[in-house]
Amino acid sequence: MRANLFSSWGNTLLTLALVAMLAWVLPPAIDWLVLDAVWGRAPAAACDAVRGQGACWAVVAEKFRFMLFGFYPYALQWRPAIVIVVLCTLLVVSAIPSFWRPSLALVWAAGIALAFWLMGGGLGLERVRSEQWGGLPVTLILAIFGVAFAFPLGVLLALGRRSSLPVVRALSVVYIEVIRGVPLITVLFMASVMFALFLPENLRIEQLLRAQIALILFVAAYLAEAIRGGLQSVPRGQYEAAAALGLPYWKSMGLVILPQALRVAIPSIVNSFISLFKDTSLVVIIAIYDFAYAVKKSVETDFSWKPYFIEAFLFSIAVYWAFCFAMSRYSQWLERGLAREGRA
Amino acid sequence: MSAAGGRDGVVRDVPARRPPARTGEPAIRIEGLSKWFGDFQVLRDIDLCVEAGERIVVCGPSGSGKSTLIRCINRLEPHQRGRIVVNGIELTDNLKNIERVRSTVGMVFQHFNLFPHLTVLENCTLAPIWVLRKPRAEAQAIAMRFLERVRIAELAGKYPGQISGGQQQRVAIARALCMNPSIMLFDEPTSALDPEMVKEVLDTMIMLAGEGMTMVCVTHEMGFARAVADRVIFMDEGEIVEADTPERFFGSPKNERTKRFLGQILHR
């Protein structure tokens, strides 16, 4: 403690200054956030009474159904609630290495099928069009499918960019550079407008699917570069040893090169996943109501709760942060585990 | 002379080369081979025949093209002119043929090139399972047999990063042998090793030689060359300058460049 905080005059001054600042900022912050806040279900009038002194968490309690599910029919909201639980359970289970076996793919397929059945209805459940979907399930679906499809596409693009076939290499380079040079919002707009122009009248793709495809195409370009960095870190001798054993290209990539490259690229890959998770909130510009938008809408539309939009936003920040922080910690844990078993 | 020369004791362990089973086609036939890196010609009109069971040591100063030559034999390097025929298969751009040749030609590298994310045993079973399509249990049994042969069976569960350089190189030899190759190529297998580990690797190679494996070794271990080689080849500036039995090569080298090279390497 002494060595860390008071090792020199400069450090001592800095320490005292920081302590003073914390003493100045923390107590009122804690007062507002916790002690003087209105917790649980309470009428808006209760919040008006302590306005300026305490946070109004009652807004979250009041509006959380709309925040989580958006315009999904109120009576049917148990369905997206189950979807959230199913998807989160799948994510947690998939994070545990001892569950990494082929059957996990089947579990995912079943989970996804269940999620879409619950969201969309049919087969005995009342139909809910995807235009009515909203809130956290939409965010989770966009993020999970984004990862699931962008990742393999990114691997292919990274390999393509290093291919010895000039056509494959050129196509990969053009794709990556074009997509990376364009804002996500424009890609979303293009997906929203262009698909409708190109595809025949009877093959209308739903708006949500268009947004999903745009996200996948966008993130894949970034992932490709992250993975290419990993590929470059694998020594040439590894390629040669795999070739010398007679392993054909795809087997040598899949069994020897990619396992090493992806390990190195984990931090940048997770970086892209975290970006993807947050970027899903941009789909609002093509009228898809994800979690962030549902939170905004929930307070905007209700005059008596409108003043408490800060608390509502803090809630959505906390939710996004929890997901992103979990991803970050998980990737660190994964890296440490792999480092232990790999090159000692 | 290098520390592990293996001059004593080993010479008698290795029987003279078995009379080659003359089927007409040698194990490796190289005719008029030339190769360029850009404008620089690394190999100049190389002719070389290696009979089945023959043990060849290739030596020469660095940059002489000796590593490039053996890397051409399993097409890690493509050549621009001439022909290379390995076990009756000519090496061209044909990928299927390249893979066929590679699965019958084992290679051991200077820097081992073990797969760091796999255990010793997995390193040895990878190619038998995925190239030869052997069942996992059978591949493991074969791998354990070869790991025992190179006397490191107890390391089967370790990762390459956890074992010494000499042990890694012996794993690399076992990994190559698991493919049941008819030819083994060694590219300076001991030059990256600490001196005290050279012997264990050379002993393994001598054991292989004693079993009649066709071997082409790029090495500066002249004791090894004397002990096991049927022919020693000296390369300089991309050419084969001299090729002869070890007795004549070391006893009465004909070419000036060979004499100078031997003078430098033997009186160190």
Side-chain angles (χ1 to χ4, degrees):
Chain A
M1 171 116 163
R2 201 192 164 109
N4 281 335
L5 300 177
F6 301 102
S7 58
S8 71
W9 272 109
N11 265 353
T12 308
L13 274 179
L14 198 63
T15 303
L16 292 176
L18 282 173
V19 168
M21 203 158 99
L22 287 177
W24 178 55
V25 169
L26 269 187
I30 291 172
D31 280 348
W32 187 82
L33 283 168
V34 184
L35 299 178
D36 295 338
V38 178
W39 291 90
R41 284 192 89 93
C47 288
D48 294 337
V50 293
R51 199 141 154 212
Q53 294 140 42
C56 176
W57 300 122
V59 68
V60 177
E62 176 73 23
K63 299 288 182 191
F64 85 96
R65 295 265 300 246
F66 193 89
M67 290 176 175
L68 287 182
F69 308 122
F71 292 110
Y72 203 91
Y74 195 84
L76 303 176
Q77 285 179 357
W78 58 273
R79 282 158 49 175
I82 295 177
V83 168
I84 291 177
V85 173
V86 166
L87 291 180
C88 288
T89 310
L90 277 174
L91 286 175
V92 170
V93 166
S94 312
I96 303 167
S98 52
F99 287 109
W100 293 350
R101 44 184 103 129
S103 51
L104 187 61
L106 291 178
V107 176
W108 265 102
I112 297 288
L114 177 67
F116 276 100
W117 177 54
L118 286 170
M119 289 301 287
L123 297 174
L125 285 180
E126 191 180 324
R127 284 213 171 269
V128 178
R129 284 178 303 115
S130 69
E131 286 80 4
Q132 290 174 284
W133 301 5
L136 198 56
V138 166
T139 296
L140 287 178
I141 286 172
L142 286 172
I144 289 172
F145 277 87
V147 167
F149 286 91
F151 183 70
L153 184 57
V155 169
L156 290 180
L157 285 167
L159 291 175
R161 193 162 187 172
R162 289 166 60 84
S163 167
S164 53
L165 307 170
V167 178
V168 174
R169 197 169 54 232
L171 283 175
S172 306
V173 170
V174 167
Y175 178 88
I176 291 168
E177 296 305 336
V178 166
I179 296 285
R180 280 205 309 169
V182 175
L184 175 56
I185 291 195
T186 57
V187 179
L188 285 169
F189 267 132
M190 294 289 267
S192 171
V193 178
M194 298 262 280
F195 281 140
L197 288 181
F198 288 153
L199 292 171
E201 196 68 22
N202 52 1
L203 198 89
R204 285 275 311 282
I205 311 184
E206 288 172 40
Q207 189 78 337
L208 185 62
L209 183 56
R210 290 183 221 169
Q212 182 73 76
I213 291 172
L215 269 175
I216 289 168
L217 296 180
F218 186 77
V219 176
Y222 286 84
L223 278 175
E225 287 299 278
I227 292 163
R228 188 168 68 96
L231 287 173
Q232 270 165 350
S233 77
V234 178
R236 222 179 88 164
Q238 294 290 313
Y239 292 82
E240 290 178 350
L245 285 168
L247 284 166
Y249 177 82
W250 287 108
K251 284 179 186 163
S252 117
M253 288 302 139
L255 298 166
V256 176
I257 305 303
L258 280 173
Q260 299 181 57
L262 294 179
R263 196 171 288 200
V264 173
I266 285 177
S268 351
I269 291 174
V270 172
N271 209 15
S272 292
F273 287 173
I274 288 178
S275 294
L276 166 65
F277 187 76
K278 294 182 297 183
D279 285 349
T280 55
S281 56
L282 289 174
V283 296
V284 67
I285 62 138
I286 54 171
I288 293 168
Y289 302 132
D290 74 314
F291 176 62
Y293 183 76
V295 168
K296 177 167 177 279
K297 207 76 186 161
S298 69
V299 279
E300 253 181 18
T301 46
D302 190 332
F303 186 75
S304 52
W305 291 101
K306 210 171 175 180
Y308 305 104
F309 66 94
I310 292 178
E311 286 84 342
F313 282 150
L314 282 174
F315 170 68
S316 71
I317 287 171
V319 170
Y320 276 105
W321 180 82
F323 276 99
C324 294
F325 187 66
M327 278 192 260
S328 160
R329 298 302 300 191
Y330 176 67
S331 86
Q332 285 170 27
W333 176 82
L334 201 59
E335 274 175 68
R336 272 201 305 276
L338 292 173
R340 248 200 315 281
E341 83 172 31
R343 324 160 197 235
Chain B
M1 179 111 199
S2 163
R7 202 169 185 177
D8 313 312
V10 291
V11 179
R12 286 173 300 277
D13 292 346
V14 179
R17 179 161 66 89
R18 290 180 202 157
R22 297 223 63 118
T23 53
E25 187 63 36
I28 305 169
R29 185 154 51 85
I30 297 173
E31 291 168 355
L33 171 67
S34 289
K35 174 171 177 62
W36 288 261
F37 284 131
D39 291 337
F40 177 70
Q41 190 168 5
V42 259
L43 295 175
R44 296 165 190 274
D45 200 22
I46 303 270
D47 289 302
L48 177 67
C49 264
V50 181
E51 301 294 337
E54 200 176 7
R55 280 113 25 176
I56 308 266
V57 163
V58 185
C59 62
S62 61
S64 60
K66 53 194 192 305
S67 279
T68 309
L69 173 63
I70 73 162
R71 290 160 60 85
C72 284
I73 296 173
N74 64 353
R75 194 107 174 157
L76 285 184
E77 300 285 355
H79 57 278
Q80 281 89 38
R81 195 178 295 164
R83 298 182 69 204
I84 305 177
V85 182
V86 181
N87 291 331
I89 302 166
E90 176 163 8
L91 285 169
T92 57
D93 284 335
N94 184 321
L95 273 180
K96 277 280 151 280
N97 281 351
I98 293 173
E99 278 157 20
R100 270 167 70 206
V101 166
R102 283 172 177 171
S103 64
T104 61
V105 177
M107 186 165 207
V108 175
F109 298 86
Q110 181 177 1
H111 295 287
F112 333 134
N113 297 356
L114 293 182
F115 305 133
H117 61 299
L118 301 177
T119 62
V120 164
L121 184 63
E122 289 164 347
N123 263 276
C124 293
T125 57
L126 186 78
I129 290 173
W130 292 94
V131 178
L132 304 180
R133 297 169 198 285
K134 285 197 193 301
R136 187 169 297 268
E138 189 191 337
Q140 284 174 345
I142 294 170
M144 286 314 293
R145 214 171 64 224
F146 282 111
L147 288 172
E148 270 157 34
R149 285 261 299 282
V150 299
R151 299 193 313 282
I152 40 175
E154 70 278 7
L155 300 178
K158 297 260 189 209
Y159 285 91
Q162 300 168 321
I163 61 180
S164 76
Q167 291 167 335
Q168 288 192 52
Q169 195 59 298
R170 284 188 282 156
V171 173
I173 295 172
R175 175 174 74 177
L177 291 175
C178 284
M179 292 293 286
N180 192 24
S182 61
I183 300 169
M184 285 285 285
L185 307 174
F186 291 85
D187 189 2
E188 305 207 29
T190 56
S191 354
L193 292 173
D194 290 335
E196 73 270 21
M197 294 171 183
V198 171
K199 187 175 181 317
E200 62 187 64
V201 170
L202 287 182
D203 284 348
T204 310
M205 292 168 64
I206 290 165
M207 177 188 80
L208 264 186
E211 291 162 5
M213 175 67 76
T214 311
M215 293 165 72
V216 182
C217 314
V218 172
T219 181
H220 290 144
E221 297 293 339
M222 292 303 132
F224 172 79
R226 261 186 239 267
V228 307
D230 297 308
R231 255 192 300 166
V232 182
I233 288 172
F234 174 68
M235 286 184 69
D236 193 17
E237 292 176 354
E239 291 172 317
I240 294 182
V241 175
E242 192 154 350
D244 218 329
T245 62
E247 294 77 37
R248 277 182 298 206
F249 183 85
F250 293 110
S252 51
K254 291 184 269 300
N255 191 292
E256 271 314 308
R257 285 193 277 180
T258 317
K259 286 179 194 165
R260 206 177 328 127
F261 176 75
L262 286 175
Q264 282 163 352
I265 199 163
L266 293 178
H267 298 295
R268 239 185 339 205

